[in-house]
């Protein structure tokens, strides 16, 4: 049976199209049946292809629902990269009013995600409180920033926009929605009793190490020595490499969470946190590239307060990403 791999393919197809309990039941039923089959050709003649067999036993509505949520998660993973290369790099500034509307949409989408998930009442209550607190903080900050910049524009005609940069608000929103949706789709109703696979543990440690490395680098530049940040080419290349690995790791972990173990969603959440941090770091360095000679001159003269202030703002957001990502990833391991 293992020589021709029909059962392995059937097992993966069953886990993709069927809920976990139904997939396990199908694997147990066909394990004994396939022992009597002589080869893959006969298995295909009797039962059809593994994908066709699994889809024939699946509920069409549940399959469509799962594919919808999977595509939504993929969209939330891809969207930060799309926004960065289409909006942030081109200097597109959006209205602060749009961000206020996005805040309300985030809250109601978050509540919907929690409602469709198979949570215990206590877990659903905790997630609702976290969502409300997070959205409230973002809303108050964005409201203050919107009116503050509006007043500044009214008193100073040299400023040319109203609102905040999109990434300051949209990246945390996309990160939170993706994290909550991954928790809801794969559920928190039963604690995983199986031992964590070694591959999952290693992947989790590697992603956590990458997130900690990016955070430590930014904190070092903000509070110890800003000189390392002046190597703009290396910093941009490093942020692109780490961000690319986080992007690919998030997509890979989404598939693994469905096919292997739902605790892979913890890796998804950490990868998304790392991706957001790398995007912000690359954006900061990309903005500084045009005035590199000014940075070097001020660094040699000891006048780096304005640079350090910007890096400290980014480091503060990095702490939020790393902290919230670690908490949500810990919940994802349940």
């Amino acid at each position: 049976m293992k020589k021709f791999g029909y059962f392995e393919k059937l097992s993966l197809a069953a886990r993709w199209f069927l809920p976990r309990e139904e997939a396990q039941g199908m694997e147990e039923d066909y394990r004994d049946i396939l022992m009597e089959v002589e080869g893959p050709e006969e298995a295909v003649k009797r039962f059809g292809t593994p994908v066709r067999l699994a889809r024939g036993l699946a509920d069409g509505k549940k399959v469509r629902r799962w594919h919808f949520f999977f595509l939504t998660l993929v969209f939330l993973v891809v969207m930060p990269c799309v926004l960065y290369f289409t909006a942030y790099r081109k200097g597109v500034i959006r209205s602060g009013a749009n961000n206020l509307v996005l805040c309300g949409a985030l809250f109601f989408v978050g509540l919907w995600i929690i409602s469709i998930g198979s949570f215990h009442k206590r877990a659903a209550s905790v997630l609702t409180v976290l969502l409300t607190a997070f959205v409230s903080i973002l809303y108050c900050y964005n409201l203050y920033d919107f009116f503050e910049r509006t007043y500044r524009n009214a008193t100073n005609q040299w400023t040319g926009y109203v609102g905040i940069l999109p990434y300051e608000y949209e990246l945390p929103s996309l990160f939170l929605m993706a994290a909550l949706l991954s928790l809801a789709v794969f559920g928190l109703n039963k604690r995983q009793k199986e031992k964590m696979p070694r591959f999952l543990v290693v992947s989790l440690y590697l992603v956590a190490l990458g997130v900690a490395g990016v955070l430590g680098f930014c904190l070092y530049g903000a509070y110890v020595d800003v000189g390392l940040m002046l190597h703009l080419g290396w910093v941009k290349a490093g942020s692109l490499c780490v961000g690319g690995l986080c992007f690919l790791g998030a997509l890979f972990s989404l598939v693994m969470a469905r096919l292997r173990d739902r605790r892979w969603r913890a890796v998804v959440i950490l990868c998304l946190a790392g991706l957001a941090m790398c995007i912000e770091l690359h954006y900061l360095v990309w903005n500084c590239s045009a005035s590199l000679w000014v940075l070097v001159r001020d660094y040699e003269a000891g006048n780096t307060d304005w640079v350090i202030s910007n890096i400290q703002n980014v480091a503060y957001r990095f702490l939020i990403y790393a902290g919230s990502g670690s908490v949500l990833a810990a919940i994802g391991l349940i």
Side-chain angles (χ1 to χ4, degrees), residues 15 46 138 253:
R15 294 179 184 182
R46 290 181 58 181
L138 286 179
S253 300

Short mmCIF file of all heavy atoms in Angstrom, two decimals, residues 15 46 138 253:
data_model
loop_
_atom_site.label_atom_id
_atom_site.label_comp_id
_atom_site.label_asym_id
_atom_site.label_seq_id
_atom_site.Cartn_x
_atom_site.Cartn_y
_atom_site.Cartn_z
N ARG A 15 -8.15 15.12 4.37
CA ARG A 15 -7.91 16.19 5.34
C ARG A 15 -8.19 17.56 4.75
O ARG A 15 -8.53 18.49 5.48
CB ARG A 15 -6.47 16.13 5.83
CG ARG A 15 -6.16 14.88 6.64
CD ARG A 15 -4.71 14.86 7.08
NE ARG A 15 -4.38 13.62 7.77
CZ ARG A 15 -3.19 13.35 8.29
NH1 ARG A 15 -2.21 14.24 8.18
NH2 ARG A 15 -2.97 12.21 8.90
N ARG A 46 -11.25 1.15 -9.11
CA ARG A 46 -12.32 0.81 -8.18
C ARG A 46 -12.89 2.04 -7.47
O ARG A 46 -14.11 2.13 -7.27
CB ARG A 46 -11.80 -0.18 -7.14
CG ARG A 46 -11.51 -1.56 -7.70
CD ARG A 46 -11.03 -2.50 -6.60
NE ARG A 46 -11.99 -2.61 -5.51
CZ ARG A 46 -11.80 -3.36 -4.41
NH1 ARG A 46 -10.68 -4.07 -4.30
NH2 ARG A 46 -12.70 -3.41 -3.47
N LEU A 138 -6.76 51.67 18.46
CA LEU A 138 -6.51 52.15 17.10
C LEU A 138 -7.45 53.28 16.72
O LEU A 138 -7.04 54.25 16.08
CB LEU A 138 -6.66 51.00 16.11
CG LEU A 138 -5.54 49.96 16.07
CD1 LEU A 138 -5.87 48.89 15.04
CD2 LEU A 138 -4.21 50.61 15.74
N SER A 253 2.44 27.38 6.03
CA SER A 253 1.86 26.98 7.32
C SER A 253 0.34 26.92 7.25
O SER A 253 -0.28 26.12 7.97
CB SER A 253 2.31 27.94 8.42
OG SER A 253 3.72 27.95 8.54
#
